[in-house]
């Protein structure tokens, strides 16, 4: 058995950003997933969700929770990432100043997503969009 | 699960089954069944919220009764929480309160504010080691610590592993009394004067150690009247000089007091259980990494807002601010010669006690979740509370757990009854038609 969750992330509604990952956190706790894993998965998803809103005008997130792992797929039709290696560097950010004033844009999102998950794949094409798939193992 | 002791109870005769409390309980621990409220002791954190909101005053905290308890001991020490000082009108000197306690029959007083200053000093030293999990969360409010261990278990390691000023005061007071009187341990009674039910539970079943030196807990609200009477009878002029705490210790009664005593700039202080939950959510999402210390109080305004106090928290806070004037910043330090570390340190770490999982096995939990979602979709979604659960989803969870029936929902019941009537009506009609034929 598995549990699937689907979220549409509105790129125009910055104030709602982070709600989907908050919901996933609640579901994972209810399913009895160990607290350290809940923490890792929800932080990784939070960063990806915020990126979708800041950099890619929203998108969709599919979460598949299985007894042994959590797979999160974040898909957007934004500008794409021209240089993934550069984007993955701690501190690299193209976020506008208005967003920085709110405490975002520290360039730690992608590095944290990598750090908190067991695997992360970035499929991106400039002008087409970005799909990031992350897996967190439960056992 | 082990039987947890609690101090919030229901006075059955007063409860009208009105469902007010179920909506305010932050852990959804209360249900109204059979016309009265029932508290699930695995979920209750003794925050006192239901006591505050019950319109019929049916929710109560179980305190020790002063009269009965005083007779049990040869030598009695009162441990007033600093919140007590904020309850009196026109008070300009804490000594009046302390002298009043002696007049009531206590043989000595040991201010909890004194222990708070020792704890503050000890915490400052711990924070300086930089060897803790940051941000460090205060362990002073037992309702908050219980909330963390059940709803935010991944944050257990952030909680500072030291005892609250109440426990430290009790241990020091007993040692002092034994040395002074030569009496045996059990001939001395340590009485904590408490702002809240959470401290009662914490005295009986302390967090981080096997036992507490607190023998009895009486509430600020209960002691107020007899104490005021004695205070008024005190001769004019100055009472004996008894107070031995300063601004820092007394400030523990209000939100932010503990944190500011750490002399740590990067702190956050939140009060009121809903705000506490919001901060813990943020911390869990790793959003507070720039903060060093987090002070959390379950009650609005801090302990001055405790459910077993009398005065409005804003008034009490203002009074405490006035009482602090002209006092030394602090009058007590942590000295290892006088206070061995085991008096302050927890003896064992905080254990996670998660309560949110639907089942131990994830697949089983998924199956239940599916069932809950199906049921919730069938319910009207009004969250009206008439079924005795705080929301339609909560009723669905109860049904799946086998603790309630779906037709506890009036709408479901009406629908079912409707079907029953319709069936009966159709039967009657067909019978009549057949008769005609
Ligand atoms: N979904 C995305 N679409 C387009 N660009 C992205 C996306 N996610 C990240 N980026 C790019 O990668 C950079 C680094 O991302 P991140 O590490 O999260 O830092 P930050 O969001 O703080 O800028 C971003 O500034 C942005 O240029
Ligand atoms: S904030 Fe103070 S009064 Fe309220 S529950 Fe916590 S310790 Fe008790
Ligand atoms: Mg980012």
């Amino acid at each position: 058995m598995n549990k699937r969750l689907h979220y549409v992330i509105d790129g125009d509604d910055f104030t709602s950003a982070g709600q989907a990952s908050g919901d996933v956190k609640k579901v994972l706790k209810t399913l009895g997933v160990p607290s350290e894993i809940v923490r890792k998965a929800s932080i990784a998803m939070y960063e990806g969700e915020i990126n979708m809103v800041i950099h890619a005008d929203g998108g969709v997130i599919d979460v598949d929770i299985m007894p042994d792992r959590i797979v999160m797929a974040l898909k957007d039709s934004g500008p794409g990432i021209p240089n993934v290696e550069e984007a993955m560097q701690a501190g690299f950010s193209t976020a506008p100043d208005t967003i920085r004033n709110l405490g975002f844009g520290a360039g730690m999102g992608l590095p944290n997503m990598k750090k908190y998950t067991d695997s992360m794949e970035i499929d991106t094409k400039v002008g087409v969009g970005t799909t990031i798939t992350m897996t967190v193992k439960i056992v | 699960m082990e039987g947890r002791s609690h101090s919030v109870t229901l006075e059955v005769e007063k409860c009208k089954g009105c469902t007010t409390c179920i909506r305010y309980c932050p852990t959804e621990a209360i249900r109204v069944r059979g016309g009265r409220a029932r508290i699930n002791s695995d979920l209750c954190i003794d925050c006192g919220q239901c006591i505050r909101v019950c319109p019929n005053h049916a929710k109560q905290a179980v305190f020790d009764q002063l009269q009965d308890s005083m007779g049990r001991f040869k030598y009695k020490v009162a441990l007033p929480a600093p919140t007590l000082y904020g309850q009196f009108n026109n008070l300009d000197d804490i000594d009046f309160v302390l002298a009043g306690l002696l007049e009531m029959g206590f043989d000595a007083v040991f201010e909890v504010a004194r222990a708070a200053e020792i704890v503050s000093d000890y915490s400052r030293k711990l924070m300086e080691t930089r060897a803790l999990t940051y941000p460090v969360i205060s362990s002073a409010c037992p309702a908050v610590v219980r909330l963390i261990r059940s709803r935010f278990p991944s944050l257990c390691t952030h909680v500072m592993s030291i005892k609250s000023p109440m426990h430290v005061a009790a241990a020091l007071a007993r040692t002092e009394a034994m040395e002074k009187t030569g009496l045996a341990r059990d001939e001395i009674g340590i009485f904590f004067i408490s702002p809240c039910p959470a401290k009662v539970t914490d005295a009986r079943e302390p967090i981080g150690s096997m036992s507490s030196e607190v023998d009895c807990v009486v509430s600020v609200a209960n002691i107020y009247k007899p104490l005021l009477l004695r205070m008024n009878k005190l001769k004019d002029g100055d009472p004996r000089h008894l107070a031995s705490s300063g601004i820092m210790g007394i400030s523990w009664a209000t939100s932010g007091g503990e944190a500011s005593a750490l002399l740590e700039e990067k702190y956050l202080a939140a009060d009121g259980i809903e705000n506490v939950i919001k901060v813990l959510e943020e911390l869990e999402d790793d959003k507070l990494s720039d903060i060093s210390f987090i002070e959390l109080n379950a009650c609005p305004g801090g302990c001055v807002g405790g459910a077993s106090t009398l005065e409005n928290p804003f008034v009490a806070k203002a009074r405490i601010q006035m009482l602090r004037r002209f006092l030394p910043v602090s009058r007590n330090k942590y000295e290892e010669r006088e206070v061995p570390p085991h008096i302050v340190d927890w003896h064992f770490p905080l254990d996670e006690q998660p309560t949110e999982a639907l089942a131990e096995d994830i697949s089983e939990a998924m199956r239940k979740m599916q069932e809950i979602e199906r049921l919730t979709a069938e319910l009207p979604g009004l969250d009206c509370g008439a079924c005795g659960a705080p929301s339609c989803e909560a009723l669905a969870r109860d049904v799946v757990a086998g603790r309630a029936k779906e037709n506890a929902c009036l709408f479901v019941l009406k629908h079912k009854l409707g079907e029953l009537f319709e069936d009966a009506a159709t039967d009657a009609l067909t019978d009549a038609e057949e008769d005609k034929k």
Side-chain angles (χ1 to χ4, degrees):
Chain A
M1 196 168 192
N2 56 354
K3 170 89 193 155
R4 292 212 175 90
L5 300 160
H6 178 78
Y7 302 94
V8 178
I9 309 302
D10 183 352
D12 293 328
D13 186 5
F14 187 63
T15 53
S16 300
Q19 287 186 2
S21 40
D23 188 65
V24 169
K25 182 167 95 175
K26 210 172 121 198
V27 171
L28 292 174
K29 279 188 176 188
T30 316
L31 290 175
V33 173
S35 58
E36 234 354 271
I37 291 163
V38 175
R39 191 172 149 90
K40 277 165 45 178
S42 53
I43 292 172
M45 178 166 155
Y46 174 82
E47 294 286 9
E49 186 184 348
I50 295 288
N51 279 357
M52 281 179 123
V53 177
I54 298 179
H55 308 295
D57 202 25
V60 293
I61 303 180
D62 281 285
V63 182
D64 196 353
I65 308 163
M66 287 158 273
D68 63 341
R69 65 188 188 282
I70 305 152
V71 181
M72 299 171 277
L74 296 80
K75 188 172 163 38
D76 67 61
S77 318
I81 306 172
N83 185 342
V84 173
E85 213 177 301
E86 187 183 34
M88 287 297 298
Q89 311 245 309
F92 177 84
S93 173
T94 60
D97 281 345
T98 44
I99 299 288
R100 275 172 212 272
N101 290 341
L102 284 163
F104 296 100
M108 289 309 295
L110 287 171
N112 272 340
M113 287 155 75
K114 175 109 193 123
K115 178 177 142 198
Y116 285 120
T117 56
D118 293 295
S119 79
M120 171 161 115
E121 277 166 37
I122 304 181
D123 184 7
T124 181
K125 204 166 170 193
V126 174
V128 179
T130 304
T131 299
I132 300 183
T133 312
M134 299 179 282
T135 304
V136 178
K137 289 188 197 149
I138 296 179
V139 280
Chain B
M1 225 171 254
E2 93 237 53
R4 296 207 185 112
S5 86
H6 282 288
S7 43
V8 177
T9 56
L10 184 80
E11 226 182 297
V12 184
E13 311 81 63
K14 287 189 184 169
C15 178
K16 293 185 178 161
C18 73
T19 73
T20 302
C21 56
I22 61 174
R23 296 160 190 282
Y24 286 92
C25 175
T27 61
E28 297 200 341
I30 315 175
R31 296 290 184 274
V32 173
R33 297 265 148 76
R36 67 180 189 89
R38 288 157 208 263
I39 305 173
N40 178 341
S41 68
D42 286 338
L43 299 180
C44 175
I45 54 170
D46 287 297
C47 68
Q49 187 78 330
C50 54
I51 298 181
R52 241 179 245 120
V53 300
C54 177
N56 305 307
H57 306 288
K59 287 280 192 343
Q60 288 193 330
V62 190
F63 286 96
D64 291 297
Q65 289 310 307
L66 200 58
Q67 295 309 344
D68 313 340
S69 319
M70 293 285 265
R72 280 167 49 205
F73 304 95
K74 276 201 183 130
Y75 189 86
K76 299 160 285 289
V77 190
L79 269 54
T83 304
L84 180 67
Y85 311 153
Q87 309 294 308
F88 305 96
N89 227 336
N90 296 322
L91 180 72
D92 58 2
D93 189 344
I94 290 164
D95 283 335
F96 280 102
V97 180
L98 306 181
L101 288 167
L102 294 180
E103 288 295 315
M104 280 182 73
F106 286 105
D107 301 286
V109 281
F110 191 109
E111 285 183 88
V112 175
R114 208 176 126 189
E117 290 182 346
I118 294 171
V119 170
S120 285
D121 194 33
Y122 191 78
S123 309
R124 274 197 292 273
K125 293 185 170 112
L126 275 182
M127 292 290 284
E128 272 164 22
T129 65
R130 303 301 300 170
L132 312 173
T133 307
Y134 295 89
V136 173
I137 308 174
S138 157
S139 56
C141 174
V144 168
V145 177
R146 286 183 153 78
L147 178 74
I148 291 172
R149 113 179 139 178
S150 61
R151 265 189 68 182
F152 300 92
S154 71
L155 299 178
C156 280
T157 50
H158 289 258
V159 180
M160 197 182 248
S161 54
I162 57 168
K163 295 178 197 165
S164 65
M166 171 187 81
H167 292 299
V168 175
L172 297 177
R174 189 178 308 273
T175 313
E176 256 185 34
M178 283 167 70
E179 275 166 10
K180 188 174 166 202
T181 62
L183 289 171
R185 174 166 287 273
D186 58 0
E187 290 174 305
I188 295 161
I190 306 292
F191 288 69
F192 176 63
I193 301 164
S194 172
C196 65
K199 291 283 186 193
V200 182
T201 312
D202 196 43
R204 291 193 194 130
E205 216 174 85
I207 290 160
S209 67
M210 289 309 286
S211 61
S212 167
E213 295 288 348
V214 176
D215 295 304
C216 299
V217 184
V218 293
S219 75
V220 165
N222 274 340
I223 210 163
Y224 177 81
K225 244 188 171 170
L227 177 58
L228 186 65
L229 211 74
R230 299 289 156 48
M231 282 167 65
N232 287 339
K233 274 194 192 147
L234 284 173
K235 299 225 166 41
D236 272 346
D238 287 341
R240 268 206 289 149
H241 180 67
L242 295 158
S244 56
S245 58
I247 292 175
M248 280 184 171
I250 293 166
S251 300
W252 273 64
T254 53
S255 176
E258 177 191 3
S260 53
L262 286 177
L263 306 176
E264 166 70 63
E265 275 171 23
K266 289 184 253 164
Y267 77 79
L268 175 165
D271 52 272
I273 194 75
E274 297 302 332
N275 298 325
V276 165
I277 291 171
K278 281 186 200 145
V279 169
L280 292 172
E281 294 277 1
E282 297 254 316
L283 180 57
E284 208 174 39
D285 295 344
D286 234 2
K287 288 184 214 157
L288 301 174
S289 47
D290 44 349
I291 302 274
S292 297
F293 185 79
I294 301 183
E295 178 188 328
L296 299 173
N297 289 287
C299 299
C303 295
V304 283
S308 310
T309 61
L310 285 173
E311 191 52 271
N312 166 312
F314 299 98
V315 176
K317 182 181 175 190
R319 288 188 183 145
I320 287 194
Q321 270 164 358
M322 286 187 276
L323 280 171
R324 292 186 322 193
R325 275 181 314 171
F326 315 123
L327 286 185
V329 174
S330 174
R331 285 199 258 196
N332 300 276
K333 281 209 177 319
Y334 174 78
E335 304 281 358
E336 197 165 335
R337 270 170 294 117
E338 290 158 32
V339 187
H342 76 87
I343 300 272
V344 189
D345 286 329
W346 276 352
H347 303 166
F348 40 81
L350 187 62
D351 55 331
E352 300 188 4
Q353 296 187 353
T355 49
E356 288 191 291
L358 291 170
E360 262 176 46
D361 175 63
I362 295 178
S363 303
E364 173 65 7
M366 283 182 188
R367 199 191 57 72
K368 285 191 174 164
M369 187 178 275
Q370 205 173 41
E371 189 58 15
I372 292 167
E373 281 167 6
R374 189 188 63 73
L375 270 172
T376 310
E378 279 176 14
L379 294 168
L382 295 173
D383 296 341
C384 71
C387 62
S391 65
C392 298
E393 201 214 315
L395 175 65
R397 269 186 276 131
D398 291 348
V399 172
V400 170
R403 287 193 292 259
K405 291 236 163 56
E406 209 183 338
N407 59 15
C409 171
L410 294 181
F411 297 88
V412 172
L413 187 69
K414 196 178 141 204
H415 186 72
K416 282 191 178 161
L417 285 177
E419 274 176 2
L420 218 65
F421 279 127
E422 240 167 62
D423 286 351
T426 340
D427 285 352
L429 273 178
T430 3
D431 285 352
E433 267 167 29
E434 266 170 21
D435 284 352
K436 256 199 255 168
K437 281 181 203 161

